[in-house]
Amino acid sequence: MTAALVQLTAAQAGARVRARELDPRELFEAYRQRAATDELNAFTWVAEAPAAAGPSPADAPLGGVPVAVKDLFCTEGVPSQAGSRILEGYRPPYSATVVERLTRAGAPLLGKTNQDEFAMGSSTENSGFGPARNPWDRARVPGGSSGGSAAAVAAGLAPWAIGTDTGGSIRQPAALCGVVGFKPTYGACSRYGMIAFASSLDQAGPLTRDVTDAALLFGQMVGRDPRDSTSLKFPEPVRLPHADSLRGFRLGIPEELTGTEGGVEPGVRDAFDRSLELAEKLGAAIEPCRLPHAPHALSAYYLIAPAEASANLARFDGVRYGLRVDGEADLLTMYSRTRAAGFGLEVKRRIMLGTYALSSGYYEAYYGTAQKVRTRIAQDLHAVFERFDLIATPTSPWTAFELGAKLDDPLQMYLNDFCTVPMSLAGIPAISIPCGLSDGLPVGFQLAGPAFSENRLFEAAFALERAIGYDGSPARG
Amino acid sequence: MTEARPVVEGANHTVAAADGYEPVIGLEIHVQLSTRTKMFCGCEIRFGERPNTHTCPVCLGLPGALPVVNERAVIFAAMIGLAFGSDVARRSLFHRKNYFYPDSPKGYQISQYDEPLCRGGRLGDVRIHRVHLEEDAAKLEHISASGRIHGSERSVVDFNRCGTPLVEIVTEPDLRTPEQAREWLTLLRATLRALGVSDVDMSQGSLRVDANVSVRRAGSRELGTKTELKNMNSFRFLERGLRAEIDRQLGVVRAGLTVEQETLHFDPASGRLTTLRSKEEAHDYRYFPEPDLMPLEVGDELLQAARSAIPELPAQRAARFEHDLGLSAGRARELAFRGELGDYFERVVAAADAAPAPELANWIPLLVERIGSDTDPAGSRVAPEGLAALAAMVSRRELSRDAARTVLSRMVEIGGDPSSLAEREGLLALPGGDGQLAELVERAIAQDPGAAEQVRANNMKAIGPLVGYVMRETKGRADGGEVRRLILERLAPH
Amino acid sequence: MASELSHVLDHIEKISELDLSDVPPTSHVVDAATPLRRDEPEPCLPREVVLAGAPEPVGDGFGVPSPGAAPA
């Protein structure tokens, strides 16, 4: 019974609950058990039972289908650690706006998922609570930083999940785990209650089994929040997609992001090319395009994000909450020992990098210049979208790598984000859908569009997804 | 903390002018705004409450919290800028000012940096450099014998105050003496109070002043190295601190040495200046634009709301008192720089019909003497109409000045109208035509023939003792001018 | 750590080779003014909740080493 339940998409399960064919408590318990016996270390916390609050699931838009939530979303009374020891056991007195919206829409909290510490990483190996594993091959990483969410959905431990994407942290793990991952237009979803990494880049988004589930979940997350000054009113209702062709879509393929510059593996390139052929058969007009500043996007990102992070993480000082080390020593010692003990290596690296980029005398050369590169990248994309509706790239240059394989050289790890960072810098929406396997490992296909083009994105992704006919069930066991 | 630096004990006045040096003073003022809620969150601002009872995730700096700008704080800040005649920027930015301290929960303060809300302007004789918005820090209490930071091992943090809106006002270095600084601050305080944007109470911390001080050769256009004087609790202490620091700097330059850039604290009890921070420890705040807030835009509507909320300000009122009502410059400032005094005075003028305003103005300080400088005259028992009537009685010579003062004191105690009070207490002036006065004049002359002789010889100084005799005999009820006239009439033959 | 950071910076520094002379910096991708909140009170957190995670609650406040104490 449970095995059959787990094969349903979230939309299908929700429809059954609303039709009174399925008991939401049975649905919750089926997933809860799977999450509680998780061997992938995808979860850092699992609920004992659905929280009492919320409308009757049978009448709610999301039909009582439980959702896994990345650890860095504040969930009231429930550990919210952002994957870090400095927040081990921290239980916030409030919940993130998007979590509240999902609960009210009838998606109860299933559990909190593992992640790279403070969303810094592309493999979930930077988690303070051990790495998560890829359900396709447990010796490999699920990607990051939302690796736990991606693994949970891929393995059928959760019907759907939410994560955050700053430079690719939803899309890349989705690609490596063979699920759908979506990053909205910057400002579409509220950041209130999302433990901040890089404020001008962070966005919440869904990780789901298919595009319909992604649109369904996003539709309940989206909307202006008076508590988040950067959040915007989404200009139109979010629609569930149903396109069966790509006629009328002009697809641009940026040369800088699809060639060997980013080190795209042959297997990934093949899967990508096959998908482009399918897209053409579906009626899309496909042409190459140029994003001249895209090769510098990673550099700009690795100055802007750490700079903002260095300030966002300054609040972890052992004074009001979280870890405190050597509180009986003097103030400076307490600050430095607390942060030395509480932060992992990658976080420390980025804080140093960010502090340096903002320092007096260096600001113009580093942070200031990176902000100008950001302008250029946004301009490049804007120009492309005058000729094209969407652009397409592989999501990740390679498939899931082995645990430990890219820990020696930070630059190698940063290159994971080569294809995803430009969209983050420009604040435009992008979706990754599984487009096939390469040596038995999933490959992701990324589509991106101009700001607020979510509905068009979902339509294109939906049509392509149907044509591709990807089957993710082997990972669900 | 480094050890105290022995001070050149401040002389009573600077001797700069004497050997060709002049002090140069600029002020940095922080004003706590009297909005209902904090700068970036909806926590109500309350003082004196139990610690940590007015906080939320935003002002506590909890993970995931985000700031949202208080509209009224922006209006208040714009009002301040408009009152100074500053340029109010249509678009300004918030920046993060990064530093670690227990009173700063985020590890950065949201402030404004190179695109502030207001630039330029002036108040009185001092030009304004800029005005910007920021948030206040938490309150840090040090557990030690003295309650001060030195010698304490532990501190306790209360976040009730954290996040209160602050406006920072920076002046150009236009001030030249500590006295001038104190006077200007009095005008600033009166202006902010008239605007109704702050309680501006230094003892409560709603007004904080730091000073930048340097010295240079008189007539020079360049600025010397400046030191910063912080944490002074009253205008008087600030004046003394400035004097001490100026004297210290003069001592340094006269000895042929150079002034070092540093931050100092002045202890009024001991008169000593202590170094808080030397130049090497100066902070790099790594300012960058606040990503959680978009640019602050001040539109026509907000600017109009700010403009229409500005009442007549002290400087303007003083000018009006001087030019339209004929008060002396000094009296005009005295009455205009305290809102309640000015208000009360105008009501007296209105009640007084045709009486000249300068004469009425002279009665206000006498009233203030009697009710205390902290009391609002409108709350006293002396109605403006009563004071006007009292003044009228004196000009009609129904009451001598001395008697009128006594009547005023009675009015302060029990209220009532001056005419019936004076009558009841037997203070009404002795009329000049009454034989009583003439008789007293005779007696005065008789008891001091020498003085009388002097007066006859046109030495008017001698009339004093004669008048004084009559005043004493009448217990001040006689009108001094009238007595003098009678004496002259009697003594000076025509 | 230092050598890793140097290595990263070497790569990142290539952006200085770009001609960005007339390019305005992007501080915010959203082209809008910051929203203004009405000056109306909202509920505060109860004190017990505020102090719940405090590493060193002292009475009603958060205990910390004093900034004025000499370094150990």
Side-chain angles (χ1 to χ4, degrees):
Chain A
M1 181 56 192
T2 308
L5 265 185
V6 160
Q7 298 310 325
L8 298 172
T9 66
Q12 289 163 346
R16 300 244 182 122
V17 168
R18 279 201 303 279
R20 267 81 172 162
E21 289 164 13
L22 176 55
D23 183 341
R25 285 168 305 182
E26 196 190 318
L27 179 64
F28 190 94
E29 186 52 29
Y31 275 105
R32 199 202 64 76
Q33 273 179 19
R34 288 175 71 91
T37 51
D38 156 39
E39 287 168 2
L40 303 170
N41 202 25
F43 284 92
T44 53
W45 178 89
V46 179
E48 302 267 300
S56 159
D59 303 315
L62 298 181
V65 182
V67 64
V69 168
K70 187 174 182 180
D71 200 18
L72 64 63
F73 287 95
C74 284
T75 40
E76 187 178 339
V78 164
S80 308
Q81 304 161 129
S84 178
R85 292 269 175 207
I86 215 166
L87 279 178
E88 190 169 3
Y90 172 68
R91 287 169 193 259
Y94 75 105
S95 286
T97 298
V98 297
V99 171
E100 279 187 344
R101 286 190 177 165
L102 290 181
T103 309
R104 264 185 278 128
L109 179 65
L110 175 63
K112 303 299 290 291
T113 57
N114 201 358
Q115 57 166 97
D116 282 299
E117 189 181 3
F118 288 111
M120 299 186 199
S122 310
S123 65
T124 310
E125 292 172 290
N126 294 329
S127 169
F129 305 103
R133 288 153 190 284
N134 194 315
W136 291 85
D137 180 344
R138 291 181 183 197
R140 293 177 183 268
V141 302
S145 59
S146 311
S149 284
V153 173
L157 307 180
W160 47 13
I162 58 173
T164 63
D165 192 307
T166 307
S169 290
I170 285 176
R171 294 163 284 160
Q172 186 257 18
L176 268 52
C177 289
V179 298
V180 172
F182 171 63
K183 180 200 89 67
T185 303
Y186 182 84
C189 291
S190 166
R191 290 185 299 114
Y192 187 76
M194 263 168 57
I195 299 177
F197 159 24
S199 316
S200 74
L201 296 157
D202 292 345
Q203 268 297 284
L207 291 100
T208 58
R209 243 179 257 173
D210 66 11
V211 176
T212 302
D213 280 358
L216 184 58
L217 200 57
F218 172 66
Q220 296 301 324
M221 291 165 71
V222 73
R224 171 148 163 63
D225 179 10
R227 292 182 192 272
D228 173 2
S229 299
T230 60
S231 84
L232 305 165
K233 178 172 174 344
F234 203 78
E236 57 191 20
V238 175
R239 294 186 296 271
L240 293 184
H242 49 261
D244 56 7
S245 91
L246 289 175
R247 260 189 312 276
F249 278 95
R250 301 163 299 166
L251 224 55
I253 315 299
E255 291 179 4
E256 293 82 359
L257 297 180
T258 46
T260 47
E261 170 99 34
V264 179
E265 271 176 6
V268 169
R269 182 76 219 213
D270 284 343
F272 179 69
D273 287 339
R274 282 197 304 274
S275 306
L276 286 182
E277 283 164 22
L278 278 175
E280 220 161 25
K281 287 209 190 81
L282 286 172
I286 302 181
E287 273 176 49
C289 65
R290 304 295 313 276
L291 292 173
H293 295 85
H296 298 280
L298 263 183
S299 301
Y301 174 80
Y302 277 102
L303 284 171
I304 293 171
E308 293 179 6
S310 69
N312 284 328
L313 269 58
R315 68 192 63 201
F316 302 108
D317 56 9
V319 171
R320 288 144 291 131
Y321 48 80
L323 183 71
R324 175 192 284 202
V325 173
D326 284 352
E328 67 290 343
D330 66 281
L331 186 64
L332 277 177
T333 302
M334 183 198 90
Y335 279 158
S336 49
R337 295 218 181 127
T338 297
R339 292 163 66 82
F343 289 144
L345 199 51
E346 183 60 31
V347 166
K348 284 176 183 150
R349 229 179 248 141
R350 296 203 196 184
I351 290 176
M352 306 261 265
L353 198 50
T355 306
Y356 187 60
L358 294 172
S359 308
S360 170
Y362 296 97
Y363 180 101
E364 266 319 308
Y366 292 118
Y367 187 74
T369 303
Q371 284 193 311
K372 293 180 181 181
V373 174
R374 186 171 189 177
T375 304
R376 278 285 187 244
I377 287 167
Q379 288 169 345
D380 285 356
L381 282 161
H382 189 79
V384 163
F385 287 130
E386 298 198 326
R387 291 174 43 221
F388 297 94
D389 299 297
L390 304 172
I391 58 174
T393 79
T395 308
S396 162
W398 39 73
T399 54
F401 45 92
E402 285 173 5
L403 285 153
K406 292 188 191 286
L407 288 178
D408 290 333
D409 179 7
L411 263 182
Q412 279 306 304
M413 190 64 86
Y414 297 166
L415 284 169
N416 273 292
D417 301 330
F418 189 77
C419 301
T420 50
V421 151
M423 299 80 185
S424 306
L425 288 171
I428 59 173
I431 190 167
S432 176
I433 60 171
C435 66
L437 299 175
S438 167
D439 285 333
L441 295 169
V443 176
F445 183 96
Q446 178 179 229
L447 284 164
F452 305 113
S453 63
E454 273 79 340
N455 281 326
R456 288 218 89 193
L457 255 182
F458 286 138
E459 293 289 1
F462 178 83
L464 194 54
E465 171 188 71
R466 265 172 117 216
I468 291 170
Y470 170 85
D471 175 18
S473 58
R476 289 198 283 275
Chain B
M1 302 293 133
T2 52
E3 8 86 66
R5 162 97 40 91
V7 79
V8 173
E9 183 65 52
N12 279 334
H13 48 272
T14 56
V15 294
D19 67 344
Y21 283 97
E22 66 173 359
V24 174
I25 302 167
L27 297 176
E28 210 172 279
I29 300 111
H30 285 89
V31 181
Q32 228 176 32
L33 298 181
S34 52
T35 52
R36 275 192 83 186
T37 63
K38 297 184 177 182
M39 185 69 221
F40 298 116
C41 66
C43 287
E44 206 171 354
I45 301 171
R46 301 268 204 102
F47 297 111
E49 305 253 331
R50 211 165 157 195
N52 295 305
T53 50
H54 286 88
T55 64
C56 75
V58 179
C59 54
L60 279 171
L62 296 191
L66 295 172
V68 186
V69 176
N70 181 336
E71 182 182 49
R72 183 168 278 134
V74 179
I75 294 176
F76 279 7
M79 284 168 67
I80 294 174
L82 289 170
F84 295 160
S86 312
D87 283 319
V88 179
R90 291 304 191 126
R91 184 183 174 279
S92 62
L93 281 186
F94 286 101
H95 274 72
R96 289 191 184 176
K97 180 180 181 181
N98 299 282
Y99 65 95
F100 284 92
Y101 207 69
D103 67 3
S104 176
K106 296 186 291 294
Y108 58 86
Q109 179 200 33
I110 302 179
S111 177
Q112 294 193 291
Y113 181 53
D114 57 359
E115 294 190 51
L117 183 64
C118 311
R119 279 194 220 263
R122 97 180 287 128
L123 180 70
D125 301 325
V126 177
R127 292 167 302 159
I128 302 295
H129 178 55
R130 53 182 278 156
V131 177
H132 76 248
L133 277 163
E134 58 185 35
E135 53 175 348
D136 206 353
K139 205 157 71 149
L140 203 53
E141 217 174 76
H142 306 294
I143 302 171
S144 71
S146 65
R148 296 218 53 228
I149 195 172
H150 293 283
S152 66
E153 288 293 319
R154 309 291 315 149
S155 304
V156 183
V157 197
D158 171 15
F159 290 89
N160 281 352
R161 184 185 85 174
C162 192
T164 303
L166 290 180
V167 159
E168 180 174 322
I169 300 167
V170 181
T171 75
E172 298 288 1
D174 289 350
L175 294 160
R176 294 285 171 270
T177 71
E179 296 79 11
Q180 194 190 7
R182 184 182 39 77
E183 275 172 21
W184 185 81
L185 281 169
T186 307
L187 173 58
L188 175 69
R189 185 171 57 187
T191 304
L192 293 172
R193 222 173 241 156
L195 285 171
V197 298
S198 169
D199 295 335
V200 276
D201 185 341
M202 259 180 117
S203 63
Q204 298 277 7
S206 46
L207 179 69
R208 297 168 217 161
V209 185
D210 298 328
N212 290 315
V213 193
S214 64
V215 296
R216 66 181 177 194
R217 288 236 170 248
S220 163
R221 298 287 211 98
E222 286 172 20
L223 293 169
T225 308
K226 65 177 182 201
T227 61
E228 202 186 346
L229 212 51
K230 288 181 88 75
N231 302 338
M232 281 154 304
N233 289 333
S234 73
F235 293 170
R236 245 179 335 113
F237 291 159
L238 180 127
E239 192 181 347
R240 287 181 53 202
L242 282 171
R243 212 169 279 137
E245 175 55 12
I246 289 166
D247 286 344
R248 186 191 72 84
Q249 287 197 19
L250 288 173
V252 166
V253 304
R254 283 186 198 123
L257 303 167
T258 41
V259 174
E260 305 247 314
Q261 191 185 334
E262 54 189 328
T263 303
L264 298 157
H265 168 71
F266 174 73
D267 177 13
S270 66
R272 302 179 103 211
L273 290 158
T274 323
T275 307
L276 290 178
R277 214 168 33 233
S278 63
K279 182 187 180 183
E280 289 74 48
E281 296 161 38
H283 246 283
D284 175 11
Y285 291 113
R286 299 188 301 281
Y287 285 99
F288 69 101
E290 171 58 79
D292 289 333
L293 294 173
M294 266 107 71
L296 178 63
E297 280 180 18
V298 170
D300 289 333
E301 225 178 271
L302 193 146
L303 217 47
Q304 203 21 55
R307 216 169 256 131
S308 53
I310 299 177
E312 184 188 41
L313 296 174
Q316 299 156 324
R317 199 180 217 182
R320 185 165 60 79
F321 284 176
E322 194 183 336
H323 299 126
D324 294 0
L325 297 181
L327 268 56
S328 70
R331 183 70 84 214
R333 281 153 86 107
E334 194 185 341
L335 296 184
F337 285 12
R338 251 190 79 194
E340 325 69 91
L341 287 190
D343 292 343
Y344 186 85
F345 168 64
E346 302 225 50
R347 285 166 67 191
V348 171
V349 169
D353 255 346
E359 175 55 28
L360 295 168
N362 291 334
W363 287 97
I364 309 290
L366 295 174
L367 174 60
V368 171
E369 252 172 54
R370 283 153 177 75
I371 61 176
S373 54
D374 289 329
T375 311
D376 181 354
S380 75
R381 294 201 165 85
V382 182
E385 297 73 22
L387 196 63
L390 183 66
M393 286 182 75
V394 171
S395 9
R396 291 195 302 267
R397 300 204 147 134
E398 288 165 15
L399 213 51
S400 75
R401 280 192 182 279
D402 278 349
R405 283 168 192 248
T406 311
V407 172
L408 182 59
S409 298
R410 293 300 281 143
M411 285 167 80
V412 167
E413 279 164 42
I414 61 174
D417 82 278
S419 170
S420 29
L421 266 177
E423 192 161 349
R424 207 164 61 214
E425 313 235 345
L427 290 169
L428 288 172
L430 293 175
D434 190 302
Q436 221 183 337
L437 257 191
E439 197 198 309
L440 283 169
V441 163
E442 286 301 325
R443 284 202 349 236
I445 293 168
Q447 58 87 39
D448 194 351
E453 201 49 52
Q454 297 263 337
V455 174
R456 277 204 199 90
N458 241 335
N459 184 359
M460 284 307 128
K461 275 202 217 126
I463 207 171
L466 297 175
V467 174
Y469 176 87
V470 176
M471 297 304 287
R472 278 192 303 275
E473 290 298 308
T474 61
K475 293 190 175 43
R477 287 177 58 202
D479 180 283
E482 181 64 11
V483 169
R484 190 189 160 92
R485 191 187 67 75
L486 285 170
I487 293 172
L488 281 173
E489 219 179 70
R490 177 73 182 74
L491 292 176
H494 23 257
Chain C
M1 170 80 74
S3 63
E4 284 161 352
L5 286 176
S6 276
H7 180 48
V8 169
L9 275 171
D10 284 341
H11 182 89
I12 285 175
E13 267 164 356
K14 297 212 183 88
I15 56 173
S16 59
E17 292 161 18
L18 292 166
D19 176 20
L20 299 164
S21 35
D22 285 318
V23 186
T26 296
S27 293
H28 303 94
V29 278
V30 175
D31 182 23
T34 204
L36 297 175
R37 173 180 57 85
R38 304 208 74 95
D39 189 25
E40 301 287 342
E42 286 173 47
C44 290
L45 287 174
R47 198 181 34 89
E48 321 78 61
V49 169
V50 169
L51 290 166
E56 185 192 337
V58 172
D60 289 330
F62 295 86
V64 288
S66 167

